[in-house]
Amino acid sequence: MTMTGAELRIDLQRLRENVRAVRERMAPAEALVVIKDDAYAQGVEPIVAAALDAGAVWFGGIDLDSAVRAKRTAGGRARVLCWMTLSAEEARLGVAEGIELGVGDADYLERAATAPSTATLHLKIDTGLHRNGVRPEAWAAFCARAAELERAGRIRVAGIWTHIAEASDAEDDASRAEFDHAVGIARDAGLTPEMRHLAASAAAWHRPEFRYDLVRIGAFCYGIRSEDGPEIGGTAPISSLVAPVVSVGTDVEVAIGSVDGFPSALAGRTHVATPGGERALVRVDAFTSRVETWPGAAIGDDVILFGPGTRGEPTPTDLGEAIGTVGEEPLLRVSPLVPRVYVG
Ligand SMILES: *Cc1c(COP(=O)(O)O)cnc(C)c1O
C-alpha cells in the first residue's frame, strides 16, 4: 500500500513485551508506567490499554490531561498518580476523577485538602534535585500538618516520594539516605505511606536497592535506552517514524508532514533506512528532508527515519546522541498532525 503521508507506527505488542520485561525485573516492586505528554506523543488510550494487558496496575505523569485520560481508560484496574498539579481547581478535578496527587509544597497541601472528597496524596521530599519538593528543613512540620489533615479525613497519605538525578551513583546514594530519613520522620508524625518511590528507568533497572515499593518507568517502557547507556534486555523501541518519498532527483526528498518537525541538526549526522539500504540524511528543510538516492528510488517508497533498528534505521536514542539530546526528543517532536497508526 502506498502512503500519502508520514506515519508514526506504534507497535503495541512490543510495548506489552517491554512492560512485561520491566515488571519482571522490578518485582516485587510495582512499576508505574509513565504516560506524561500524551504517553510521549504516542497516545495515552492505546498505550494504557496495551500496558494493562501486560499487567500494569500503576500509571502516572506530570500533566492532568494525560492522567485523566489514563484513569478513564483504566477505570478500577489501575491507580493513577499525577505529580505536578498545582491549583486547587486541578486538585479538585483530579480527585473527582479518582487520581492520586503528588504534593511538593505546604501551600499546595492546603489546596489539595479542600477537594470535596478525600484526596489521596503522595508527599514529595526534595532530596537534592531542587526542582519541586519540600525542603528537608521544612519536612517535619509538613508531615505534622499532613497527619492533622489525615486525622480530619481531608486527605490520605498513600505515598512518600522523591526524584533523583541519576547522574552519579554517589549523588543518588546521598538522595536515598535523605529519603530514608524523610520516611522515618513521616512515620514518626503518624503517617503510614504504603508506597515509597524514588527511582526512574536507569536507577530502577541497574540498582535494586532503589526500587522500594514502586518505580516510575518512562523511557524503558517505550524502549528508549539512556544516552550512552547499554541496550536494555527484553525491550526495544515501540515507535517507527516512516515517511514517503515525494520526489527523486540527484537526491531523494521525503516529507514527514506539513512542517517537517525533524531536528535540523540531524542533517549530515545520521542515516535512514530505505528500500535500497541505509542512506545518509543530507539535509533537513522546513517542509522536507533529503537523503542520498538509491537505485530504483521511486515516489511513494517508505523511508524509515527512526525505529527499533531492525531494518537498519537509527533508534530514537541514536538520533538523540547524534545531536546531544535524549531519545525522548525525536519522538516528542513528531507533529500531532502526523497520524499515529497502531499495530500489534
Ligand atoms: C518522566 C519522569 C519519570 C520517568 O523517567 P524515565 O527516566 O523516563 O524512566 C519518572 N519520574 C518523574 C517524576 C518523571 O517526571
Side-chain angles (χ1 to χ4, degrees):
M1 196 184 81
T2 308
M3 286 195 299
T4 54
E7 291 177 356
L8 187 68
R9 286 191 197 149
I10 299 160
D11 182 346
L12 295 175
Q13 183 51 29
R14 187 65 257 175
L15 174 81
R16 288 183 206 100
E17 285 165 27
N18 291 351
V19 170
R20 279 191 203 106
V22 163
R23 285 175 50 77
E24 251 168 53
R25 176 97 172 186
M26 301 308 158
E30 269 303 341
L32 176 153
V33 176
V34 179
I35 45 77
K36 61 192 176 202
D37 293 301
D38 194 21
Y40 299 81
Q42 296 163 116
V44 166
E45 288 82 1
I47 293 285
V48 168
L52 285 167
D53 291 344
V57 292
W58 275 94
F59 295 91
I62 296 178
D63 56 295
L64 188 61
D65 179 65
S66 298
V68 166
R69 289 162 53 202
K71 186 62 186 167
R72 288 183 180 174
T73 304
R77 295 172 69 191
R79 292 168 72 172
V80 176
L81 170 61
C82 184
W83 49 77
M84 272 302 284
T85 53
L86 288 171
S87 68
E89 174 68 3
E90 283 181 308
R92 193 185 58 74
L93 285 170
V95 171
E97 294 280 348
I99 289 169
E100 305 182 24
L101 303 174
V103 173
D105 78 79
D107 291 340
Y108 185 52
L109 176 63
E110 300 301 330
R111 292 196 290 277
T114 65
S117 50
T118 307
T120 302
L121 305 181
H122 294 235
L123 307 183
K124 185 178 186 189
I125 171 88
D126 176 5
T127 54
L129 211 53
H130 304 303
R131 227 187 251 164
N132 166 266
V134 175
R135 298 286 304 137
E137 59 274 15
W139 181 252
F142 179 72
C143 289
R145 177 61 182 150
E148 201 172 81
L149 290 167
E150 191 171 71
R151 283 193 299 273
R154 304 305 313 151
I155 66 167
R156 184 173 79 81
V157 175
I160 305 285
W161 69 294
T162 191
H163 197 40
I164 59 175
E166 297 189 334
S168 80
D169 282 1
E171 255 178 280
D172 289 350
D173 290 340
S175 289
R176 193 162 79 89
E178 184 81 68
F179 182 72
D180 288 341
H181 185 64
V183 171
I185 291 172
R187 290 199 170 125
D188 288 347
L191 298 171
T192 52
E194 78 260 24
M195 307 310 287
R196 295 160 303 156
H197 48 109
L198 68 171
S201 289
W205 190 271
H206 298 292
R207 306 194 69 195
E209 67 275 25
F210 278 72
R211 291 179 195 150
Y212 289 72
D213 308 303
L214 183 69
V215 293
R216 305 180 305 269
I217 310 295
F220 292 3
C221 286
Y222 303 108
I224 297 170
R225 66 173 168 81
S226 311
E227 317 86 82
D228 305 317
E231 298 296 334
I232 298 302
T235 75
I238 70 166
S239 288
S240 303
L241 181 59
V242 186
V245 171
V246 294
S247 79
V248 179
T250 49
D251 53 25
V252 168
E253 206 175 8
V254 299
I256 297 171
S258 58
V259 175
D260 217 24
F262 212 50
S264 56
L266 284 170
R269 292 201 174 90
T270 189
H271 64 276
V272 298
T274 77
E278 290 178 27
R279 288 294 183 278
L281 176 74
V282 294
R283 248 174 83 175
V284 176
D285 292 327
F287 305 112
T288 58
S289 293
R290 290 170 182 278
V291 303
E292 286 176 327
T293 193
W294 60 92
I299 290 174
D301 279 356
D302 275 2
V303 168
I304 307 168
L305 300 168
F306 65 72
T310 44
R311 294 142 302 183
E313 74 281 8
T315 67
T317 308
D318 294 337
L319 295 186
E321 283 169 348
I323 56 171
T325 185
V326 295
E328 288 86 339
E329 192 169 326
L331 203 55
L332 288 165
R333 285 226 201 187
V334 177
S335 164
L337 299 177
V338 171
R340 274 59 178 164
V341 175
Y342 298 93
V343 298

